[in-house]
Amino acid sequence: MTDRPAFDRRAFLAALGSAGLGSLAGCSALGGDSSETTSTAAPTASVDADVARDLAARFAPTLYFDADETWFPTDPRSYASDRDGETVVDGFDAFDGYHATQRETGERAPEPTVFYNVVRYEDSSLTAVQYWFYSVFDQFTTNFHWHDWEVLHVFVDTADDEPVPQLYVASSHSRSVPNNEFLDPDPDRPPRVLSELGSHSSALSLNDRADRFQRLPTGGTFADITNRAFDRIEDAAEIPIAYGLPRDEGARLPYVVPELDGAPVYEDERLPSVTRESLVSEALTIRSFDALSSPPTDLPERSTGLVFGPETADDDGDADADADIEYALVPAGEVEHITEFTGPQLSFEFAVPGFVEDAIASHLTTTSTPWSQSRYVDPAADITDPTHRSALAERYDVVDEPSALNTLFVRVTEAVTDADAPDGEGVTTRESGVESVLLLESDPEAAPTFGGLGVLQNVPAGEHRLTVNGAGSAPHSETVQVGDAESGSSSTTETESSSDGDDDGGTLTTAGVDGEIPLVARESATKVEVDADGTDRDLTALALEDDFGGRLYDAPLSGPDAVYVHRGGAYTVEVRDSDDELGAFRVNPDPNAAADADADSDSVSDGDTTPASIPSVRIDEPRTGKASLATFLADISAETAAAVAAVDDGSDDSDDSDNSADTGTPDDSTQTATGGGQANAVRGLAQALESVAEAANRAAERAEAGERGRADESLDTVASRLERVAERLAEARGELPGSLSRATDRRLEQARRRSEQARAADTL
């Protein structure tokens, strides 16, 4: 390899490949110019071959793999073939050939190889050393594909005789997930890379815990990344935003078996050397996310396996270099003649809630060649943390300041029954014990959560459909507005995503409700379907709240939609129209609903079978305005009255019945529950609630008849009778079970709020 100013040739290759940048495996959001071009990038050139080799050997990383890993960095040239005069690597050839070699030689890691590419920024002392790792297959949860290229960038200053590292950038799972980065690392400690099982995305290990990833400084050691936190989001204010390493962070994330033409890949006759044992361990794998009734709890803990070090490692070097296997360090120029990595579609269906469950199956099949990517020419394009890019931009004119990146943030939790609520009448949310995956319909690759947090970076401005899937959980899907356009939902907020007061010019959008998205175990789920077709109003938003759990869903609405809820809750479904008018509907799923079991369901692992179907509740032609809100008031009052009356020990004293029904009594009457004798406090509360339901029903009837004035009179009666309910509740509180007392409090507060909304509504 000679010293050759290759910028023009490589820029040409990058231009040829730029159209495919949206489907790069392992590629992160581009820095600098966000338009996925290199038009503003400073020119780079290769360096002298000997200098490049010395730099590559100086910073060559030690690689730590999971104990269950099977696809280690290798040399793709062993699987190359000629196709119409071009050199290609076919997915079948590489995948099957790798496992054939393993079987024939007994080697776990055939031809261990790391490729390096060194470029210098012209008129600058900044040089980037790239280490490219090729694996024949990627099986990471729902993202899997033939071939896999991952990269570690080491930015060094070569102004002096001894190069000084400035920044490490280790590639994450996808171009949407922030990379793992470290600013100003110790010059005397070469980087250590922790490779994720199956996907080979890279975490960093730079402190004294050699084979562990540490997101936060603890126990007297510093963190392994210097990525910023989202200081304006409470749940992420202290957490550096980068995907780490699940095996070190206590995360549980099951893997899925890749399919080819509807069957597991290991059953394909074109892969005779690939068996079930070739994939990620069965103990960590499920047949599909919807094949479980609840999130798995028995996933084994993972641990470190083989350690790889460069064959040039100094015997007297750091203890980290004591590797099980030595890899060859090869110039990337020796494989630049490969023009394509090929392979047919591999599929996994991402469930999207709907009246008939929809699915997305647009996942990656192959990866582009590194030398056709922008970051091969301009490594700084792969710096994803704005503070890191700003730091390098201050030191080197050749690095651009960070561009405006739109970021989408969510916190995925689990909805469970609330112990403080009556049975079947309230839920709460808690941290999920299993990680989930996020998918934008505009992006072909799903991104995993870490510690329940999900971050998607470099999201184009506009409206997107966000779907969240979790193993054993019902899916969640909602529309989110990202960027400059006005949000269609009050739950979607945009703020500057900054750290230490710095502003990168982008927006931070939170999905869900205040950034939280609760998933529901399939065995506990009911699907609430809202059919907006046929309504005479233009419905624009859908929200859902539980008596105890509060608002759980709030998103734009256009056409029919569906939301999964926990059967142990009691819910209010709210719709909003283009005139900002509201409608509300009461939904009480049967907590004991049992779906039909399928005895012939496919086995996915020991003891696992396809779960039964999920029951549904449909709201047809939801309306907004006074009639809708008044009907809701009647429903929630009658529901609460029945629950309170059930506490009254089955008393049948008819003399204590309520005589305030609509038999000529004026609408402003507040007479309740005195009858022929003094009622006890609990009975008085039930009767007061019944009187509210009666007045609310009259209001709904009058609104339906177009009698606005009389409807408002009935709503005034509702308001006054709700005050009587508050008085009766205070008297009866000591005689009610604590859970029912709390539930009545919450429903009374909601009834007051809906009463005010009904009186203020313009639409009948």
Side-chain angles (χ1 to χ4, degrees):
M1 186 175 186
T2 59
D3 183 13
R4 47 190 170 86
F7 172 74
D8 291 340
R9 180 176 66 84
R10 289 181 177 175
F12 176 71
L13 290 173
L16 289 178
S18 62
L21 286 175
S23 61
L24 300 182
C27 180
S28 297
L30 299 179
D33 179 26
S34 60
S35 63
E36 292 192 347
T37 73
T38 57
S39 60
T40 64
T44 58
S46 293
V47 301
D48 176 82
D50 292 335
V51 173
R53 178 73 187 188
D54 289 343
L55 283 170
R58 167 70 177 79
F59 296 101
T62 303
L63 310 177
Y64 294 79
F65 290 91
D66 193 282
D68 287 310
E69 183 59 65
T70 185
W71 303 298
F72 299 100
T74 191
D75 192 333
R77 290 175 293 182
S78 298
Y79 314 109
S81 59
D82 181 83
R83 182 177 298 175
D84 298 327
E86 293 187 335
T87 302
V88 302
V89 179
D90 179 83
F92 289 106
D93 293 343
F95 194 15
D96 194 72
Y98 181 85
H99 286 287
T101 302
Q102 279 185 326
R103 186 183 64 248
E104 293 165 2
T105 65
E107 298 176 352
R108 286 190 62 189
E111 296 187 274
T113 308
V114 171
F115 298 93
Y116 67 88
N117 178 50
V118 182
V119 296
R120 61 178 177 84
Y121 284 85
E122 294 184 358
D123 302 320
S124 173
S125 60
L126 182 64
T127 296
V129 186
Q130 297 178 325
Y131 300 91
W132 291 91
F133 318 106
Y134 169 78
S135 301
V136 299
F137 199 75
D138 181 311
Q139 184 195 349
F140 178 73
T141 188
T142 61
N143 284 339
F144 25 69
H145 47 85
W146 312 94
H147 319 292
D148 188 30
W149 282 102
E150 302 295 340
V151 64
L152 168 70
H153 305 276
V154 176
F155 294 90
V156 299
D157 191 303
T158 57
D160 299 324
D161 293 338
E162 185 66 24
V164 179
Q166 304 295 301
L167 178 69
Y168 294 157
V169 176
S171 58
S172 62
H173 281 279
S174 76
R175 64 188 177 90
S176 299
V177 179
N179 286 325
N180 294 280
E181 304 177 7
F182 195 100
L183 187 66
D184 295 327
D186 183 351
D188 296 325
R189 175 169 287 175
R192 295 187 297 254
V193 171
L194 310 179
S195 182
E196 174 60 286
L197 173 64
S199 79
H200 318 110
S201 61
S202 303
L204 292 170
S205 175
L206 300 174
N207 58 37
D208 292 333
R209 304 179 68 206
D211 68 338
R212 294 289 184 270
F213 173 78
Q214 189 168 304
R215 188 179 296 273
L216 296 169
T218 59
T221 62
F222 55 86
D224 288 319
I225 53 175
T226 55
N227 294 54
R228 67 178 182 168
F230 286 155
D231 59 358
R232 303 199 184 179
I233 295 183
E234 181 179 354
D235 293 314
E238 302 296 330
I239 303 175
I241 302 300
Y243 193 80
L245 197 69
R247 72 171 182 253
D248 289 345
E249 298 192 88
R252 296 181 181 273
L253 183 63
Y255 286 62
V256 177
V257 175
E259 292 186 355
L260 183 60
D261 299 329
V265 291
Y266 52 80
E267 294 181 1
D268 195 284
E269 61 183 10
R270 292 165 290 184
L271 298 169
S273 299
V274 176
T275 66
R276 176 61 187 87
E277 290 68 32
S278 303
L279 304 183
V280 171
S281 168
E282 287 187 83
L284 292 163
T285 307
I286 59 175
R287 188 67 180 83
S288 65
F289 271 23
D290 62 0
L292 301 179
S293 294
S294 60
T297 58
D298 57 352
L299 294 175
E301 293 185 0
R302 287 152 58 185
S303 59
T304 300
L306 293 181
V307 180
F308 285 51
E311 61 185 4
T312 56
D314 187 344
D315 292 339
D316 297 326
D318 193 285
D320 292 350
D322 293 337
D324 302 308
I325 293 177
E326 289 188 345
Y327 61 76
L329 199 55
V330 178
E334 295 188 13
V335 288
E336 286 182 5
H337 64 287
I338 299 174
T339 58
E340 190 176 4
F341 292 85
T342 67
Q345 174 74 43
L346 295 168
S347 64
F348 173 79
E349 292 190 346
F350 228 76
V352 182
F355 279 23
V356 177
E357 212 79 334
D358 197 3
I360 302 174
S362 57
H363 297 277
L364 295 177
T365 58
T366 61
T367 181
S368 65
T369 59
W371 33 98
S372 67
Q373 301 176 20
S374 296
R375 56 184 175 166
Y376 195 76
V377 180
D378 177 25
D382 224 13
I383 302 173
T384 58
D385 189 280
T387 58
H388 294 160
R389 174 170 284 276
S390 293
L392 260 64
E394 290 178 4
R395 302 174 192 180
Y396 307 99
D397 292 338
V398 294
V399 177
D400 292 336
E401 289 286 346
S403 58
L405 297 180
N406 297 319
T407 301
L408 181 63
F409 172 88
V410 300
R411 180 169 65 96
V412 181
T413 58
E414 180 182 8
V416 295
T417 55
D418 192 329
D420 290 335
D423 289 343
E425 297 186 21
V427 300
T428 187
T429 60
R430 67 184 183 189
E431 290 186 9
S432 176
V434 180
E435 300 295 348
S436 306
V437 282
L438 319 177
L439 184 70
L440 289 179
E441 288 188 12
S442 57
D443 192 328
E445 191 171 11
T449 61
F450 55 93
L453 304 182
V455 178
L456 298 176
Q457 198 174 56
N458 202 27
V459 180
E463 188 174 85
H464 299 266
R465 187 74 172 178
L466 171 69
T467 299
V468 184
N469 276 196
S473 296
H476 170 100
S477 191
E478 65 178 73
T479 300
V480 293
Q481 181 68 48
V482 177
D484 296 332
E486 292 184 1
S487 171
S489 168
S490 59
S491 70
T492 302
T493 59
E494 295 181 0
T495 62
E496 297 173 355
S497 60
S498 61
S499 178
D500 298 326
D502 295 330
D503 178 14
D504 62 17
T507 62
L508 175 61
T509 300
T510 58
V513 177
D514 296 327
E516 181 179 1
I517 291 177
L519 297 185
V520 184
R522 295 181 64 87
E523 64 184 4
S524 303
T526 289
K527 182 162 62 173
V528 177
E529 301 172 337
V530 178
D531 190 354
D533 290 344
T535 16
D536 57 0
R537 310 290 294 178
D538 180 19
L539 301 184
T540 60
L542 170 66
L544 182 144
E545 63 183 64
D546 173 74
D547 290 350
F548 280 72
R551 188 155 289 212
L552 303 173
Y553 184 92
D554 192 348
L557 174 69
S558 59
D561 208 346
V563 181
Y564 284 98
V565 300
H566 195 290
R567 287 201 292 272
Y571 303 97
T572 297
V573 176
E574 177 187 281
V575 295
R576 186 182 299 270
D577 65 25
S578 55
D579 293 327
D580 212 30
E581 293 284 328
L582 295 173
F585 312 88
R586 193 67 172 160
V587 172
N588 292 90
D590 180 359
N592 300 312
D596 296 332
D598 183 359
D600 298 323
S601 53
D602 296 333
S603 176
V604 294
S605 63
D606 291 343
D608 291 329
T609 57
T610 302
S613 60
I614 297 176
S616 63
V617 175
R618 177 173 294 191
I619 300 174
D620 288 316
E621 299 184 11
R623 296 178 300 166
T624 57
K626 290 185 187 295
S628 171
L629 293 168
T631 300
F632 169 82
L633 284 165
D635 290 344
I636 196 171
S637 299
E639 172 191 334
T640 311
V644 171
V647 179
D648 194 25
D649 296 328
S651 172
D652 58 359
D653 185 356
S654 59
D655 288 341
D656 290 333
S657 61
D658 182 11
N659 295 319
S660 61
D662 192 10
T663 55
T665 304
D667 277 348
D668 59 356
S669 170
T670 58
Q671 174 185 356
T672 61
T674 53
Q678 182 64 43
N680 64 37
V682 173
R683 190 171 307 173
L685 173 60
Q687 293 168 347
L689 286 162
E690 290 168 358
S691 72
V692 172
E694 291 162 359
N697 275 322
R698 288 197 297 274
E701 292 169 359
R702 290 167 175 175
E704 291 277 9
E707 301 173 357
R708 180 184 301 273
R710 298 193 68 200
D712 284 339
E713 290 176 1
S714 294
L715 287 170
D716 289 340
T717 300
V718 168
S720 65
R721 292 186 179 180
L722 284 173
E723 295 309 311
R724 178 60 61 89
V725 169
E727 296 171 4
R728 296 297 192 191
L729 177 58
E731 297 169 0
R733 195 175 299 279
E735 300 182 41
L736 291 175
S739 59
L740 180 57
S741 177
R742 288 187 289 271
T744 306
D745 275 332
R746 286 164 168 77
R747 293 171 190 166
L748 175 59
E749 179 58 34
Q750 185 176 177
R752 284 169 165 164
R753 174 161 49 96
R754 300 298 178 183
S755 173
E756 293 174 1
Q757 293 169 347
R759 284 187 287 176
D762 291 328
T763 303
L764 291 176

